[in-house]
Amino acid sequence: MSDELRWLSTRELAARIAAKEISAREALEDHLERIDRINPAINAVVTRDDEAAQSRAAAADEALAAGAEIGPLHGVPMTHKDTHDTAGMRTTWGSPLMADRVPESDSLIISRLRSAGVNTTGKTNVPEFAAGSHTFNDLFGTTLNPYDTTKSASGSSGGVGAALAAGIQASGDGSDMGGSLRSPGSFNNVVGFRPSNGRIPHTLPGNPFAWLAQSGFMARTVSDVALLMSVASGPEPGGPGSIDEPGSVFDLPEFALGADFEPELNGVRVGFSPDLAGLLPLETEVAEVVAGTADVLAGLGAEVTDTIPDLSDADEVFAVQRALDFVTAWGPLHDAHRDRIKDSVVWNIELGLGLTGAEVASAARARARLFGEVERFFAGHDVLVLSTCQVLPFDASIEYPTEINGTPLETYLDWMRALCLISATGCPAISVPAGFSASGLPVGVQLVAKPGNDVGLLRMAHAFEAVTSHHLRHPQI
């Protein structure tokens, strides 16, 4: 059954289970068989619990046979990012320090997926403490790109991206501070969506006041991202940043199976610049592929101009807030086990520990200016379009690129600046497949909307996807 189910969307798989065309048991066994067959080549899935998943699949079939009310993802098997807590299944953050950590409760995003019927089957690989956009660690090794297994799958949701691209599953959860949903989306020819703060609220335990990092989803289609957002978003008690709209706002007719959908962007105002007017160094093939998307957008009826916002304050905002968040999350581990944490994580924590009050205040002022600039831009535009990644998938044996077109990069974050700058704005952003290099490596394009306009952003991305269909080009693995 594997060839029959491998490239189904999550919507299609859920519909077939609900219609009793296939059982939850059959869907699970097919999913596990693909992990057995494909995962050794890419190392995307790093934790499994087949026995518990089989018990849940049996229960799902029994509930359906008994006529019980079912959720929209009833019986759908899914692995989860190894930074999201899963009750009874280890969550390691890719760190040997947490190798045996088994949470007692689920993260909010996981609990909502399970309530919708998802059958948790395992965990996918991440960089140590989810730091950096290349998925490797001393605990599980390196995740490889299904389009070329000598290349990086990016990160930190790299295990999720590789699993989707390889046909292990159609969609999955992830998170994004400096591009960790969008970057692996680009590298693996799938969709990576970073929502607005509060769509999937931050809650205790953890930092409920966080805003830079966001939980979200990756999928092979925009429609599947909308489906997962419909079940996982919405306000939550104890989530002070919650957006007071239910997940049902993502349940739109054009995303449904068999929808009579005519893609168009008539009246949409686009600010377009692959390199943000020279702010970002780009590899030549990346620049060429993304530049070609302007004609696609115009062909859909959009008004495309080269007007873009001034993001000069975004570097300071991102650097300071990321450093502070690293101290909040990992400061105690750093104090106790500094010599057992990778150098880039130590650097980021110590950057936060060394910040002065004046530097934190300066970043607060910069964020206020950046907010004003974003408001000004989106008063006259619906979407900003730029490159997702500045480079093609790179050699998996290196930690990160150190130069782009001869321009040296100082830190492990510099090659992902196109993503970090957008994170600092607080805007929802999505990477959608945009094409391929001459050697067949994927390239994504990044679409950015005003904070809160998540639904509008998905609708625009859905139209782009419908007329390009790059997502249908699968790797030969």
Side-chain angles (χ1 to χ4, degrees):
M1 187 179 291
S2 190
D3 289 340
E4 177 188 359
L5 300 185
R6 184 176 179 185
W7 302 116
L8 288 182
S9 70
T10 298
R11 284 184 187 270
E12 291 168 330
L13 180 59
R16 292 186 65 174
I17 293 172
K20 301 180 183 178
E21 295 174 8
I22 63 170
S23 67
R25 290 181 182 91
E26 289 171 328
L28 173 65
E29 290 310 310
D30 181 77
H31 168 80
L32 296 178
E33 187 276 331
R34 289 200 298 276
I35 296 176
D36 289 337
R37 178 162 47 93
I38 298 169
N39 195 61
I42 58 175
N43 191 37
V45 180
V46 293
T47 294
R48 293 172 62 171
D49 190 352
D50 295 8
E51 185 175 344
Q54 288 161 351
S55 295
R56 286 189 289 269
D61 285 335
E62 291 165 5
L64 194 59
E69 184 176 347
I70 63 171
L73 299 174
H74 185 79
V76 172
M78 186 180 294
T79 61
H80 304 300
K81 185 177 180 179
D82 198 22
T83 56
H84 287 151
D85 280 357
T86 41
M89 180 182 291
R90 68 177 177 177
T91 302
T92 74
W93 286 77
S95 168
L97 292 170
M98 302 171 72
D100 300 317
R101 176 178 175 269
V102 179
E104 295 182 356
S105 60
D106 291 329
S107 295
L108 179 64
I109 191 171
I110 301 300
S111 68
R112 289 180 170 182
L113 287 173
R114 295 214 222 208
S115 294
V118 160
N119 184 0
T120 296
T121 65
K123 306 302 281 286
T124 50
N125 205 18
V126 298
E128 184 179 335
F129 296 115
S133 274
H134 178 31
T135 299
F136 73 98
N137 57 64
D138 289 339
L139 191 57
F140 300 119
T142 303
T143 297
L144 302 172
N145 193 310
Y147 287 88
D148 180 342
T149 54
T150 70
K151 305 296 185 185
S152 170
S154 192
S156 62
S157 308
V160 182
L164 272 52
I168 288 174
Q169 62 195 55
S171 57
D173 54 280
S175 56
D176 185 311
M177 176 181 279
S180 292
L181 285 159
R182 293 162 287 160
S183 181
S186 179
F187 272 30
N188 292 282
N189 197 45
V190 298
V191 178
F193 177 57
R194 171 194 170 90
S196 296
N197 185 44
R199 283 291 177 197
I200 303 173
H202 297 282
T203 59
L204 293 171
N207 180 6
F209 300 102
W211 65 269
L212 187 60
Q214 301 297 332
S215 293
F217 294 104
M218 301 175 69
R220 292 196 293 260
T221 66
V222 176
S223 174
D224 273 358
V225 168
L227 172 61
L228 269 61
M229 286 298 296
S230 74
V231 303
S233 64
E236 179 74 8
S242 294
I243 292 177
D244 192 23
E245 287 182 333
S248 59
V249 298
F250 292 94
D251 190 15
L252 298 176
E254 61 260 48
F255 295 134
L257 287 178
D260 184 14
F261 170 64
E262 185 66 34
E264 55 86 12
L265 293 176
N266 295 325
V268 172
R269 299 157 298 174
V270 178
F272 184 88
S273 178
D275 65 353
L276 292 180
L279 187 63
L280 307 168
L282 302 181
E283 286 187 354
T284 301
E285 286 191 279
V286 171
E288 291 173 348
V289 169
V290 177
T293 64
D295 289 339
V296 177
L297 296 167
L300 284 164
E303 177 189 349
V304 182
T305 74
D306 61 2
T307 304
I308 60 172
D310 177 3
L311 300 182
S312 57
D313 283 306
D315 285 310
E316 179 183 3
V317 173
F318 180 83
V320 171
Q321 191 60 52
R322 180 182 175 94
L324 290 172
D325 286 354
F326 266 57
V327 172
T328 301
W330 310 119
L333 274 180
H334 168 272
D335 293 343
H337 303 287
R338 184 185 187 280
D339 60 339
R340 297 181 61 191
I341 299 174
K342 74 176 180 180
D343 290 345
S344 53
V345 177
V346 170
W347 169 79
N348 229 154
I349 294 169
E350 293 182 350
L351 186 65
L353 291 170
L355 288 169
T356 66
E359 288 171 322
V360 173
S362 176
R365 290 190 291 271
R367 188 182 176 200
R369 292 192 299 270
L370 183 61
F371 174 80
E373 179 62 15
V374 166
E375 288 286 299
R376 183 201 64 77
F377 174 78
F378 284 111
H381 298 81
D382 299 291
V383 63
L384 170 67
V385 177
L386 69 154
S387 299
T388 301
C389 292
Q390 296 161 242
V391 300
L392 295 171
F394 54 84
D395 189 331
S397 67
I398 66 173
E399 183 173 354
Y400 57 87
T402 57
E403 61 87 24
I404 300 176
N405 294 343
T407 300
L409 307 175
E410 295 182 5
T411 76
Y412 80 105
L413 298 170
D414 288 353
W415 75 270
M416 11 183 320
R417 193 172 172 217
L419 300 153
C420 299
L421 293 174
I422 300 303
S423 294
T425 67
C427 294
I430 190 168
S431 179
V432 187
F436 294 83
S437 72
S439 62
L441 295 174
V443 177
V445 63
Q446 185 176 189
L447 283 66
V448 184
K450 182 178 180 178
N453 191 22
D454 303 62
V455 175
L457 180 60
L458 290 184
R459 298 179 84 166
M460 289 183 277
H462 185 45
F464 178 88
E465 176 188 83
V467 297
T468 55
S469 298
H470 297 302
H471 64 293
L472 298 178
R473 178 171 167 178
H474 302 308
Q476 301 300 310
I477 186 170

